[in-house]
Amino acid sequence: MPKVSDAHRRARREEILAAALRAFTAKGYQRTSMADVLAESGLSTGAIYAHFAGGKRELFVAVARTTLLRRNEELVAASSGVEPPSPGEILRIVLGGVLRDGIEPRILLQLWSEATIEPEILEMVHEAIGVVRTSFRAALERWFVQHPEYAPDGPEAAAERILPVLLGLGQGFMVQHSLFDGFDAEAYLDAATAVLPS
Amino acid sequence: MPKVSDAHRRARREEILAAALRAFTAKGYQRTSMADVLAESGLSTGAIYAHFAGGKRELFVAVARTTLLRRNEELVAASSGVEPPSPGEILRIVLGGVLRDGIEPRILLQLWSEATIEPEILEMVHEAIGVVRTSFRAALERWFVQHPEYAPDGPEAAAERILPVLLGLGQGFMVQHSLFDGFDAEAYLDAATAVLPS
DNA sequence: GTCTATATCTGGATAGAC
DNA sequence: GTCTATCCAGATATAGAC
């Protein structure tokens, strides 16, 4: 296989996905037309369908999947230190990236909404959330091992129990960050950290 | 004004809104066509546009607004007792109704997603969430007044601080209830109650 | 007020030239 | 691989009869 062609292909795909992300974020999945993605990318119909035969849906799935898993990468990268982060710190690490570029939460709300309707998209969410859950669980367990006073029935059970709450706090953060005018991210994280064990 | 005509009008509007709710819940706002609402209601184009000139958007705003505020009504109704509910109990009260008919969270996810894109819908969300927030704040304050050990700087400040966390836990509940297979609502509420002051 | 019929528009996806 | 031109399906909203 020709090396150049392959690299080119990857680059084009990334280029198209970046354009799709911008378009979806601006107008939402459903309202975004292929024409919008075309305009954003500077390419033409044929060019895009050559790379993504699945059309709009495939573009969205690819973009949303990457976005979901990026949250996970930050957790994995940050929690490999010697001192395991506390639940509150885990939340802060994961949501820290969201604050840097404020576009992510919006596409996640789009994603959740779509997943409610489209089985194919729901399936992708399940798969990606499984990865995220595994990372969270592992990070929590490591902390509970060092703080057995909060885990009377063992670190695994404690981690499993608090996991949905931690995810829920993250999801609530996304919603409020996207919808509430003047949302105070720091205050939210402080209050969340205050209720979580530490 | 003719009494009968007015009652009839109201009844028709309710009928149409109920049909719209079913349609939006099944297919999502964007994918729902007027034809879907027509089929669901058994009426015809002219009949619906006579009552809702604003078309699909007006129907969605009306339906979503009602859904949002219904959460609030349950809190108001339940928290008027002598003993103010704790934060965990407040969450349980508000989310209790969601469990009875599992359709609400789905339309709320749709709503949040739409609010991200459409200013008119965002405005409605702001207004409705303002009402909800006021109820939550009042209920929390009443509890903190009776439990000053959790409110070193006064019940108002404590209520204001924990309010976003409580909302976030509720929003996270909606997301997980809609998307996660085998979501354990009781376990979620138990874990949330465990971290909240009581 | 309500129905049927339809005008008008938009969007996704394909065909075929280069 | 990419571009241009286009087909066709589906959707909103209106017009006019009853």
mmCIF file with all atom_site columns, all heavy atoms in Angstrom, chain B residues 145-168:
data_model
loop_
_atom_site.group_PDB
_atom_site.id
_atom_site.type_symbol
_atom_site.label_atom_id
_atom_site.label_alt_id
_atom_site.label_comp_id
_atom_site.label_asym_id
_atom_site.label_entity_id
_atom_site.label_seq_id
_atom_site.pdbx_PDB_ins_code
_atom_site.Cartn_x
_atom_site.Cartn_y
_atom_site.Cartn_z
_atom_site.occupancy
_atom_site.B_iso_or_equiv
_atom_site.pdbx_formal_charge
_atom_site.auth_seq_id
_atom_site.auth_comp_id
_atom_site.auth_asym_id
_atom_site.auth_atom_id
_atom_site.pdbx_PDB_model_num
ATOM 1   N N   . VAL B 1 145 ? -32.065 25.569 58.128 1.00 0.00 ? 145 VAL B N   1
ATOM 2   C CA  . VAL B 1 145 ? -32.442 26.311 59.339 1.00 0.00 ? 145 VAL B CA  1
ATOM 3   C C   . VAL B 1 145 ? -32.528 25.355 60.531 1.00 0.00 ? 145 VAL B C   1
ATOM 4   O O   . VAL B 1 145 ? -32.108 25.680 61.643 1.00 0.00 ? 145 VAL B O   1
ATOM 5   C CB  . VAL B 1 145 ? -33.794 27.029 59.137 1.00 0.00 ? 145 VAL B CB  1
ATOM 6   C CG1 . VAL B 1 145 ? -34.374 27.471 60.487 1.00 0.00 ? 145 VAL B CG1 1
ATOM 7   C CG2 . VAL B 1 145 ? -33.624 28.231 58.231 1.00 0.00 ? 145 VAL B CG2 1
ATOM 8   N N   . GLN B 1 146 ? -33.028 24.171 60.280 1.00 0.00 ? 146 GLN B N   1
ATOM 9   C CA  . GLN B 1 146 ? -33.167 23.192 61.354 1.00 0.00 ? 146 GLN B CA  1
ATOM 10  C C   . GLN B 1 146 ? -31.897 22.389 61.599 1.00 0.00 ? 146 GLN B C   1
ATOM 11  O O   . GLN B 1 146 ? -31.834 21.603 62.543 1.00 0.00 ? 146 GLN B O   1
ATOM 12  C CB  . GLN B 1 146 ? -34.324 22.238 61.037 1.00 0.00 ? 146 GLN B CB  1
ATOM 13  C CG  . GLN B 1 146 ? -35.651 22.954 60.851 1.00 0.00 ? 146 GLN B CG  1
ATOM 14  C CD  . GLN B 1 146 ? -36.802 22.109 61.332 1.00 0.00 ? 146 GLN B CD  1
ATOM 15  O OE1 . GLN B 1 146 ? -36.654 20.905 61.518 1.00 0.00 ? 146 GLN B OE1 1
ATOM 16  N NE2 . GLN B 1 146 ? -37.946 22.741 61.544 1.00 0.00 ? 146 GLN B NE2 1
ATOM 17  N N   . HIS B 1 147 ? -30.930 22.518 60.702 1.00 0.00 ? 147 HIS B N   1
ATOM 18  C CA  . HIS B 1 147 ? -29.678 21.773 60.868 1.00 0.00 ? 147 HIS B CA  1
ATOM 19  C C   . HIS B 1 147 ? -28.492 22.717 60.694 1.00 0.00 ? 147 HIS B C   1
ATOM 20  O O   . HIS B 1 147 ? -27.699 22.565 59.760 1.00 0.00 ? 147 HIS B O   1
ATOM 21  C CB  . HIS B 1 147 ? -29.614 20.627 59.856 1.00 0.00 ? 147 HIS B CB  1
ATOM 22  C CG  . HIS B 1 147 ? -30.702 19.619 60.041 1.00 0.00 ? 147 HIS B CG  1
ATOM 23  N ND1 . HIS B 1 147 ? -30.546 18.459 60.766 1.00 0.00 ? 147 HIS B ND1 1
ATOM 24  C CD2 . HIS B 1 147 ? -32.000 19.625 59.634 1.00 0.00 ? 147 HIS B CD2 1
ATOM 25  C CE1 . HIS B 1 147 ? -31.680 17.774 60.770 1.00 0.00 ? 147 HIS B CE1 1
ATOM 26  N NE2 . HIS B 1 147 ? -32.590 18.466 60.086 1.00 0.00 ? 147 HIS B NE2 1
ATOM 27  N N   . PRO B 1 148 ? -28.376 23.647 61.599 1.00 0.00 ? 148 PRO B N   1
ATOM 28  C CA  . PRO B 1 148 ? -27.341 24.686 61.459 1.00 0.00 ? 148 PRO B CA  1
ATOM 29  C C   . PRO B 1 148 ? -25.919 24.131 61.496 1.00 0.00 ? 148 PRO B C   1
ATOM 30  O O   . PRO B 1 148 ? -24.981 24.826 61.091 1.00 0.00 ? 148 PRO B O   1
ATOM 31  C CB  . PRO B 1 148 ? -27.613 25.613 62.655 1.00 0.00 ? 148 PRO B CB  1
ATOM 32  C CG  . PRO B 1 148 ? -28.428 24.809 63.605 1.00 0.00 ? 148 PRO B CG  1
ATOM 33  C CD  . PRO B 1 148 ? -29.173 23.806 62.809 1.00 0.00 ? 148 PRO B CD  1
ATOM 34  N N   . GLU B 1 149 ? -25.788 22.893 61.981 1.00 0.00 ? 149 GLU B N   1
ATOM 35  C CA  . GLU B 1 149 ? -24.429 22.328 62.035 1.00 0.00 ? 149 GLU B CA  1
ATOM 36  C C   . GLU B 1 149 ? -23.848 22.153 60.626 1.00 0.00 ? 149 GLU B C   1
ATOM 37  O O   . GLU B 1 149 ? -22.635 22.081 60.440 1.00 0.00 ? 149 GLU B O   1
ATOM 38  C CB  . GLU B 1 149 ? -24.434 20.981 62.785 1.00 0.00 ? 149 GLU B CB  1
ATOM 39  C CG  . GLU B 1 149 ? -25.171 19.842 62.085 1.00 0.00 ? 149 GLU B CG  1
ATOM 40  C CD  . GLU B 1 149 ? -26.666 19.815 62.435 1.00 0.00 ? 149 GLU B CD  1
ATOM 41  O OE1 . GLU B 1 149 ? -27.198 20.871 62.845 1.00 0.00 ? 149 GLU B OE1 1
ATOM 42  O OE2 . GLU B 1 149 ? -27.289 18.748 62.286 1.00 0.00 ? 149 GLU B OE2 1
ATOM 43  N N   . TYR B 1 150 ? -24.734 22.107 59.614 1.00 0.00 ? 150 TYR B N   1
ATOM 44  C CA  . TYR B 1 150 ? -24.266 21.996 58.228 1.00 0.00 ? 150 TYR B CA  1
ATOM 45  C C   . TYR B 1 150 ? -24.203 23.354 57.531 1.00 0.00 ? 150 TYR B C   1
ATOM 46  O O   . TYR B 1 150 ? -23.876 23.423 56.350 1.00 0.00 ? 150 TYR B O   1
ATOM 47  C CB  . TYR B 1 150 ? -25.192 21.073 57.428 1.00 0.00 ? 150 TYR B CB  1
ATOM 48  C CG  . TYR B 1 150 ? -25.074 19.615 57.807 1.00 0.00 ? 150 TYR B CG  1
ATOM 49  C CD1 . TYR B 1 150 ? -26.129 18.930 58.383 1.00 0.00 ? 150 TYR B CD1 1
ATOM 50  C CD2 . TYR B 1 150 ? -23.886 18.925 57.566 1.00 0.00 ? 150 TYR B CD2 1
ATOM 51  C CE1 . TYR B 1 150 ? -26.022 17.595 58.731 1.00 0.00 ? 150 TYR B CE1 1
ATOM 52  C CE2 . TYR B 1 150 ? -23.761 17.590 57.908 1.00 0.00 ? 150 TYR B CE2 1
ATOM 53  C CZ  . TYR B 1 150 ? -24.835 16.929 58.492 1.00 0.00 ? 150 TYR B CZ  1
ATOM 54  O OH  . TYR B 1 150 ? -24.717 15.601 58.829 1.00 0.00 ? 150 TYR B OH  1
ATOM 55  N N   . ALA B 1 151 ? -24.604 24.387 58.263 1.00 0.00 ? 151 ALA B N   1
ATOM 56  C CA  . ALA B 1 151 ? -24.663 25.708 57.637 1.00 0.00 ? 151 ALA B CA  1
ATOM 57  C C   . ALA B 1 151 ? -23.931 26.737 58.482 1.00 0.00 ? 151 ALA B C   1
ATOM 58  O O   . ALA B 1 151 ? -24.541 27.631 59.071 1.00 0.00 ? 151 ALA B O   1
ATOM 59  C CB  . ALA B 1 151 ? -26.114 26.127 57.430 1.00 0.00 ? 151 ALA B CB  1
ATOM 60  N N   . PRO B 1 152 ? -22.607 26.620 58.560 1.00 0.00 ? 152 PRO B N   1
ATOM 61  C CA  . PRO B 1 152 ? -21.836 27.518 59.437 1.00 0.00 ? 152 PRO B CA  1
ATOM 62  C C   . PRO B 1 152 ? -21.996 28.984 59.057 1.00 0.00 ? 152 PRO B C   1
ATOM 63  O O   . PRO B 1 152 ? -21.950 29.851 59.916 1.00 0.00 ? 152 PRO B O   1
ATOM 64  C CB  . PRO B 1 152 ? -20.393 27.049 59.231 1.00 0.00 ? 152 PRO B CB  1
ATOM 65  C CG  . PRO B 1 152 ? -20.388 26.312 57.934 1.00 0.00 ? 152 PRO B CG  1
ATOM 66  C CD  . PRO B 1 152 ? -21.734 25.702 57.802 1.00 0.00 ? 152 PRO B CD  1
ATOM 67  N N   . ASP B 1 153 ? -22.194 29.271 57.789 1.00 0.00 ? 153 ASP B N   1
ATOM 68  C CA  . ASP B 1 153 ? -22.339 30.674 57.377 1.00 0.00 ? 153 ASP B CA  1
ATOM 69  C C   . ASP B 1 153 ? -23.792 31.016 57.045 1.00 0.00 ? 153 ASP B C   1
ATOM 70  O O   . ASP B 1 153 ? -24.064 31.876 56.216 1.00 0.00 ? 153 ASP B O   1
ATOM 71  C CB  . ASP B 1 153 ? -21.422 30.998 56.202 1.00 0.00 ? 153 ASP B CB  1
ATOM 72  C CG  . ASP B 1 153 ? -21.566 29.985 55.065 1.00 0.00 ? 153 ASP B CG  1
ATOM 73  O OD1 . ASP B 1 153 ? -22.298 28.981 55.258 1.00 0.00 ? 153 ASP B OD1 1
ATOM 74  O OD2 . ASP B 1 153 ? -20.974 30.195 54.006 1.00 0.00 ? 153 ASP B OD2 1
ATOM 75  N N   . GLY B 1 154 ? -24.708 30.320 57.675 1.00 0.00 ? 154 GLY B N   1
ATOM 76  C CA  . GLY B 1 154 ? -26.122 30.645 57.485 1.00 0.00 ? 154 GLY B CA  1
ATOM 77  C C   . GLY B 1 154 ? -26.811 29.765 56.472 1.00 0.00 ? 154 GLY B C   1
ATOM 78  O O   . GLY B 1 154 ? -26.177 29.268 55.537 1.00 0.00 ? 154 GLY B O   1
ATOM 79  N N   . PRO B 1 155 ? -28.108 29.547 56.643 1.00 0.00 ? 155 PRO B N   1
ATOM 80  C CA  . PRO B 1 155 ? -28.866 28.638 55.794 1.00 0.00 ? 155 PRO B CA  1
ATOM 81  C C   . PRO B 1 155 ? -28.944 29.094 54.331 1.00 0.00 ? 155 PRO B C   1
ATOM 82  O O   . PRO B 1 155 ? -28.909 28.253 53.426 1.00 0.00 ? 155 PRO B O   1
ATOM 83  C CB  . PRO B 1 155 ? -30.257 28.618 56.440 1.00 0.00 ? 155 PRO B CB  1
ATOM 84  C CG  . PRO B 1 155 ? -30.299 29.789 57.346 1.00 0.00 ? 155 PRO B CG  1
ATOM 85  C CD  . PRO B 1 155 ? -28.905 30.078 57.765 1.00 0.00 ? 155 PRO B CD  1
ATOM 86  N N   . GLU B 1 156 ? -29.000 30.373 54.113 1.00 0.00 ? 156 GLU B N   1
ATOM 87  C CA  . GLU B 1 156 ? -29.101 30.850 52.740 1.00 0.00 ? 156 GLU B CA  1
ATOM 88  C C   . GLU B 1 156 ? -27.851 30.510 51.939 1.00 0.00 ? 156 GLU B C   1
ATOM 89  O O   . GLU B 1 156 ? -27.925 30.009 50.822 1.00 0.00 ? 156 GLU B O   1
ATOM 90  C CB  . GLU B 1 156 ? -29.331 32.361 52.722 1.00 0.00 ? 156 GLU B CB  1
ATOM 91  C CG  . GLU B 1 156 ? -30.715 32.761 53.220 1.00 0.00 ? 156 GLU B CG  1
ATOM 92  C CD  . GLU B 1 156 ? -30.823 34.262 53.426 1.00 0.00 ? 156 GLU B CD  1
ATOM 93  O OE1 . GLU B 1 156 ? -30.148 35.003 52.695 1.00 0.00 ? 156 GLU B OE1 1
ATOM 94  O OE2 . GLU B 1 156 ? -31.576 34.678 54.330 1.00 0.00 ? 156 GLU B OE2 1
ATOM 95  N N   . ALA B 1 157 ? -26.715 30.800 52.549 1.00 0.00 ? 157 ALA B N   1
ATOM 96  C CA  . ALA B 1 157 ? -25.457 30.519 51.853 1.00 0.00 ? 157 ALA B CA  1
ATOM 97  C C   . ALA B 1 157 ? -25.298 29.022 51.608 1.00 0.00 ? 157 ALA B C   1
ATOM 98  O O   . ALA B 1 157 ? -24.895 28.590 50.523 1.00 0.00 ? 157 ALA B O   1
ATOM 99  C CB  . ALA B 1 157 ? -24.277 31.046 52.667 1.00 0.00 ? 157 ALA B CB  1
ATOM 100 N N   . ALA B 1 158 ? -25.647 28.238 52.612 1.00 0.00 ? 158 ALA B N   1
ATOM 101 C CA  . ALA B 1 158 ? -25.510 26.782 52.476 1.00 0.00 ? 158 ALA B CA  1
ATOM 102 C C   . ALA B 1 158 ? -26.422 26.254 51.372 1.00 0.00 ? 158 ALA B C   1
ATOM 103 O O   . ALA B 1 158 ? -26.020 25.410 50.559 1.00 0.00 ? 158 ALA B O   1
ATOM 104 C CB  . ALA B 1 158 ? -25.839 26.102 53.793 1.00 0.00 ? 158 ALA B CB  1
ATOM 105 N N   . ALA B 1 159 ? -27.647 26.772 51.348 1.00 0.00 ? 159 ALA B N   1
ATOM 106 C CA  . ALA B 1 159 ? -28.594 26.335 50.322 1.00 0.00 ? 159 ALA B CA  1
ATOM 107 C C   . ALA B 1 159 ? -28.080 26.712 48.932 1.00 0.00 ? 159 ALA B C   1
ATOM 108 O O   . ALA B 1 159 ? -28.084 25.911 47.995 1.00 0.00 ? 159 ALA B O   1
ATOM 109 C CB  . ALA B 1 159 ? -29.957 26.970 50.573 1.00 0.00 ? 159 ALA B CB  1
ATOM 110 N N   . GLU B 1 160 ? -27.634 27.933 48.812 1.00 0.00 ? 160 GLU B N   1
ATOM 111 C CA  . GLU B 1 160 ? -27.145 28.418 47.517 1.00 0.00 ? 160 GLU B CA  1
ATOM 112 C C   . GLU B 1 160 ? -25.951 27.594 47.032 1.00 0.00 ? 160 GLU B C   1
ATOM 113 O O   . GLU B 1 160 ? -25.795 27.345 45.841 1.00 0.00 ? 160 GLU B O   1
ATOM 114 C CB  . GLU B 1 160 ? -26.753 29.900 47.655 1.00 0.00 ? 160 GLU B CB  1
ATOM 115 C CG  . GLU B 1 160 ? -26.514 30.613 46.345 1.00 0.00 ? 160 GLU B CG  1
ATOM 116 C CD  . GLU B 1 160 ? -27.791 30.696 45.505 1.00 0.00 ? 160 GLU B CD  1
ATOM 117 O OE1 . GLU B 1 160 ? -28.889 30.835 46.087 1.00 0.00 ? 160 GLU B OE1 1
ATOM 118 O OE2 . GLU B 1 160 ? -27.686 30.595 44.266 1.00 0.00 ? 160 GLU B OE2 1
ATOM 119 N N   . ARG B 1 161 ? -25.143 27.181 47.995 1.00 0.00 ? 161 ARG B N   1
ATOM 120 C CA  . ARG B 1 161 ? -23.928 26.446 47.641 1.00 0.00 ? 161 ARG B CA  1
ATOM 121 C C   . ARG B 1 161 ? -24.251 25.053 47.119 1.00 0.00 ? 161 ARG B C   1
ATOM 122 O O   . ARG B 1 161 ? -23.676 24.583 46.140 1.00 0.00 ? 161 ARG B O   1
ATOM 123 C CB  . ARG B 1 161 ? -23.025 26.355 48.874 1.00 0.00 ? 161 ARG B CB  1
ATOM 124 C CG  . ARG B 1 161 ? -21.548 26.391 48.543 1.00 0.00 ? 161 ARG B CG  1
ATOM 125 C CD  . ARG B 1 161 ? -20.699 26.292 49.786 1.00 0.00 ? 161 ARG B CD  1
ATOM 126 N NE  . ARG B 1 161 ? -21.073 27.250 50.819 1.00 0.00 ? 161 ARG B NE  1
ATOM 127 C CZ  . ARG B 1 161 ? -21.398 26.929 52.083 1.00 0.00 ? 161 ARG B CZ  1
ATOM 128 N NH1 . ARG B 1 161 ? -21.360 25.666 52.463 1.00 0.00 ? 161 ARG B NH1 1
ATOM 129 N NH2 . ARG B 1 161 ? -21.734 27.862 52.948 1.00 0.00 ? 161 ARG B NH2 1
ATOM 130 N N   . ILE B 1 162 ? -25.190 24.401 47.775 1.00 0.00 ? 162 ILE B N   1
ATOM 131 C CA  . ILE B 1 162 ? -25.451 23.004 47.432 1.00 0.00 ? 162 ILE B CA  1
ATOM 132 C C   . ILE B 1 162 ? -26.465 22.869 46.299 1.00 0.00 ? 162 ILE B C   1
ATOM 133 O O   . ILE B 1 162 ? -26.600 21.798 45.682 1.00 0.00 ? 162 ILE B O   1
ATOM 134 C CB  . ILE B 1 162 ? -25.909 22.204 48.672 1.00 0.00 ? 162 ILE B CB  1
ATOM 135 C CG1 . ILE B 1 162 ? -25.459 20.749 48.508 1.00 0.00 ? 162 ILE B CG1 1
ATOM 136 C CG2 . ILE B 1 162 ? -27.408 22.287 48.868 1.00 0.00 ? 162 ILE B CG2 1
ATOM 137 C CD1 . ILE B 1 162 ? -25.574 19.938 49.770 1.00 0.00 ? 162 ILE B CD1 1
ATOM 138 N N   . LEU B 1 163 ? -27.156 23.943 46.003 1.00 0.00 ? 163 LEU B N   1
ATOM 139 C CA  . LEU B 1 163 ? -28.194 23.907 44.968 1.00 0.00 ? 163 LEU B CA  1
ATOM 140 C C   . LEU B 1 163 ? -27.720 23.352 43.618 1.00 0.00 ? 163 LEU B C   1
ATOM 141 O O   . LEU B 1 163 ? -28.346 22.423 43.079 1.00 0.00 ? 163 LEU B O   1
ATOM 142 C CB  . LEU B 1 163 ? -28.776 25.318 44.811 1.00 0.00 ? 163 LEU B CB  1
ATOM 143 C CG  . LEU B 1 163 ? -29.895 25.534 43.807 1.00 0.00 ? 163 LEU B CG  1
ATOM 144 C CD1 . LEU B 1 163 ? -31.046 24.564 44.065 1.00 0.00 ? 163 LEU B CD1 1
ATOM 145 C CD2 . LEU B 1 163 ? -30.396 26.973 43.879 1.00 0.00 ? 163 LEU B CD2 1
ATOM 146 N N   . PRO B 1 164 ? -26.623 23.851 43.054 1.00 0.00 ? 164 PRO B N   1
ATOM 147 C CA  . PRO B 1 164 ? -26.185 23.314 41.752 1.00 0.00 ? 164 PRO B CA  1
ATOM 148 C C   . PRO B 1 164 ? -25.857 21.834 41.806 1.00 0.00 ? 164 PRO B C   1
ATOM 149 O O   . PRO B 1 164 ? -26.087 21.108 40.822 1.00 0.00 ? 164 PRO B O   1
ATOM 150 C CB  . PRO B 1 164 ? -24.943 24.134 41.413 1.00 0.00 ? 164 PRO B CB  1
ATOM 151 C CG  . PRO B 1 164 ? -24.728 25.099 42.491 1.00 0.00 ? 164 PRO B CG  1
ATOM 152 C CD  . PRO B 1 164 ? -25.783 24.967 43.523 1.00 0.00 ? 164 PRO B CD  1
ATOM 153 N N   . VAL B 1 165 ? -25.336 21.384 42.941 1.00 0.00 ? 165 VAL B N   1
ATOM 154 C CA  . VAL B 1 165 ? -25.008 19.963 43.071 1.00 0.00 ? 165 VAL B CA  1
ATOM 155 C C   . VAL B 1 165 ? -26.279 19.121 43.052 1.00 0.00 ? 165 VAL B C   1
ATOM 156 O O   . VAL B 1 165 ? -26.351 18.083 42.387 1.00 0.00 ? 165 VAL B O   1
ATOM 157 C CB  . VAL B 1 165 ? -24.221 19.703 44.366 1.00 0.00 ? 165 VAL B CB  1
ATOM 158 C CG1 . VAL B 1 165 ? -24.177 18.219 44.691 1.00 0.00 ? 165 VAL B CG1 1
ATOM 159 C CG2 . VAL B 1 165 ? -22.813 20.255 44.247 1.00 0.00 ? 165 VAL B CG2 1
ATOM 160 N N   . LEU B 1 166 ? -27.291 19.613 43.734 1.00 0.00 ? 166 LEU B N   1
ATOM 161 C CA  . LEU B 1 166 ? -28.550 18.879 43.776 1.00 0.00 ? 166 LEU B CA  1
ATOM 162 C C   . LEU B 1 166 ? -29.181 18.834 42.379 1.00 0.00 ? 166 LEU B C   1
ATOM 163 O O   . LEU B 1 166 ? -29.646 17.790 41.910 1.00 0.00 ? 166 LEU B O   1
ATOM 164 C CB  . LEU B 1 166 ? -29.496 19.551 44.775 1.00 0.00 ? 166 LEU B CB  1
ATOM 165 C CG  . LEU B 1 166 ? -30.535 18.636 45.423 1.00 0.00 ? 166 LEU B CG  1
ATOM 166 C CD1 . LEU B 1 166 ? -29.866 17.512 46.170 1.00 0.00 ? 166 LEU B CD1 1
ATOM 167 C CD2 . LEU B 1 166 ? -31.444 19.429 46.341 1.00 0.00 ? 166 LEU B CD2 1
ATOM 168 N N   . LEU B 1 167 ? -29.175 19.975 41.708 1.00 0.00 ? 167 LEU B N   1
ATOM 169 C CA  . LEU B 1 167 ? -29.687 20.015 40.332 1.00 0.00 ? 167 LEU B CA  1
ATOM 170 C C   . LEU B 1 167 ? -28.876 19.079 39.440 1.00 0.00 ? 167 LEU B C   1
ATOM 171 O O   . LEU B 1 167 ? -29.431 18.332 38.631 1.00 0.00 ? 167 LEU B O   1
ATOM 172 C CB  . LEU B 1 167 ? -29.618 21.443 39.776 1.00 0.00 ? 167 LEU B CB  1
ATOM 173 C CG  . LEU B 1 167 ? -30.602 22.462 40.354 1.00 0.00 ? 167 LEU B CG  1
ATOM 174 C CD1 . LEU B 1 167 ? -30.314 23.848 39.781 1.00 0.00 ? 167 LEU B CD1 1
ATOM 175 C CD2 . LEU B 1 167 ? -32.038 22.061 40.064 1.00 0.00 ? 167 LEU B CD2 1
ATOM 176 N N   . GLY B 1 168 ? -27.564 19.126 39.608 1.00 0.00 ? 168 GLY B N   1
ATOM 177 C CA  . GLY B 1 168 ? -26.689 18.285 38.791 1.00 0.00 ? 168 GLY B CA  1
ATOM 178 C C   . GLY B 1 168 ? -26.980 16.808 38.997 1.00 0.00 ? 168 GLY B C   1
ATOM 179 O O   . GLY B 1 168 ? -27.019 16.033 38.033 1.00 0.00 ? 168 GLY B O   1
#
